[in-house]
Amino acid sequence: MKLYYFPPSPNSRRAQAIALHLALPMDFHLVDLQKGEQRSPDFLAINPTGRIPVLQVDDFVLWESNAIMQYLASQVETILWPDDVQLRADIMRWQSWQLAHWSKGCQPLTYERFVKRVLQLGDPDPQVVESATQVFHQEATLLNHHLATRTYLVNDHLTLADFSVASNLTYALPAAFPLGDYPHIRAWYSRMEALPAWQKTAPG
Ligand SMILES: N[C@@H](CCC(=O)N[C@@H](CS)C(=O)NCC(=O)O)C(=O)O
């Protein structure tokens, strides 16, 4: 199995972390987004969307990180992706929420307050920051409430859902995410940070 990835990317991180957590045999293939390698004809032939991560298993090519995570976790017996229809649906619910809502607050904050600074792309756009902050608070309130009575998002056990939702907090510190009012998110994220696979995939 081959995973096309780019270590600084939170989207890439969640797939990479699952491969490491499950100790799956994997050939990690770097696609340097800063050099534009995702737009090379070779890469576009694998993924016409021009995005990482991508998983390749012989002729089978899969893009979209959450689908990749589910595929990887299906290769072994693991409580990360339990063999129970309702638990799987619950995990997919949080993975869907992460893509549709959580990332809508987290990604713009990461870009405006961290990526732009690192790549010297100018100052954060105050309007983008303001609307992303509003979305962030709305979704963080929900997440914090959910975690108030749970150790992990689903089944009170570590699952794919935790990796998906946590990946958007990769740059919470340098991008100054407003997490002050959300102690349960902070406590849960500390548990994620204690995982060897999370530590190994932390951007340098
Ligand atoms: N929904 C996709 C998002 C993938 C994505 O946006 N990847 C970014 C890296 S963070 C990318 O490859 N961007 C390249 C580009 O836009 O040129 C997933 O979860 O896999």
Side-chain angles (χ1 to χ4, degrees), residues 13 31 50-51 71 98 128 136 141 158-159 163 174 181 185 201:
R13 183 184 192 184
V31 178
R51 298 189 187 103
Y71 179 88
Q98 177 260 319
V128 176
F136 181 86
T141 301
L158 184 70
T159 68
F163 284 89
D181 289 340
I185 297 181
T201 55

Side-chain angles (χ1 to χ4, degrees), residues 43-66:
F43 186 75
L44 288 172
I46 296 164
N47 181 5
T49 76
R51 298 189 187 103
I52 48 89
V54 180
L55 181 73
Q56 190 169 29
V57 187
D58 301 322
D59 290 340
F60 176 62
V61 174
L62 188 63
W63 36 270
E64 282 299 323
S65 56
N66 287 328

Side-chain angles (χ1 to χ4, degrees), residues 104-200:
K104 296 285 188 299
C106 297
Q107 271 183 3
L109 288 180
T110 299
Y111 181 76
E112 294 295 328
R113 289 192 176 149
F114 176 71
V115 177
K116 273 183 159 180
R117 188 173 70 233
V118 169
L119 299 182
Q120 299 183 331
L121 298 174
D123 292 333
D125 180 327
Q127 279 178 345
V128 176
V129 169
E130 192 190 325
S131 69
T133 301
Q134 207 176 331
V135 175
F136 181 86
H137 281 304
Q138 185 179 323
E139 304 305 333
T141 301
L142 171 113
L143 181 61
N144 191 60
H145 179 73
H146 184 77
L147 288 167
T149 52
R150 295 168 180 87
T151 311
Y152 295 104
L153 285 172
V154 176
N155 200 22
D156 228 9
H157 203 288
L158 184 70
T159 68
L160 298 185
D162 299 289
F163 284 89
S164 291
V165 175
S167 64
N168 286 116
L169 295 177
T170 295
Y171 297 104
L173 209 58
F177 281 20
L179 279 164
D181 289 340
Y182 307 111
H184 306 301
I185 297 181
R186 295 201 309 273
W188 160 81
Y189 193 67
S190 299
R191 290 192 277 282
M192 296 303 292
E193 286 186 310
L195 296 172
W198 207 245
Q199 291 166 5
K200 281 184 202 149

Side-chain angles (χ1 to χ4, degrees), residues 62-80:
L62 188 63
W63 36 270
E64 282 299 323
S65 56
N66 287 328
I68 293 171
M69 293 163 75
Q70 292 175 13
Y71 179 88
L72 292 180
S74 301
Q75 302 307 304
V76 288
E77 202 170 303
T78 170
I79 196 145
L80 290 187

Side-chain angles (χ1 to χ4, degrees), residues 30 32 41 69 102 167:
L30 178 75
D32 193 332
M69 293 163 75
W102 184 228
S167 64

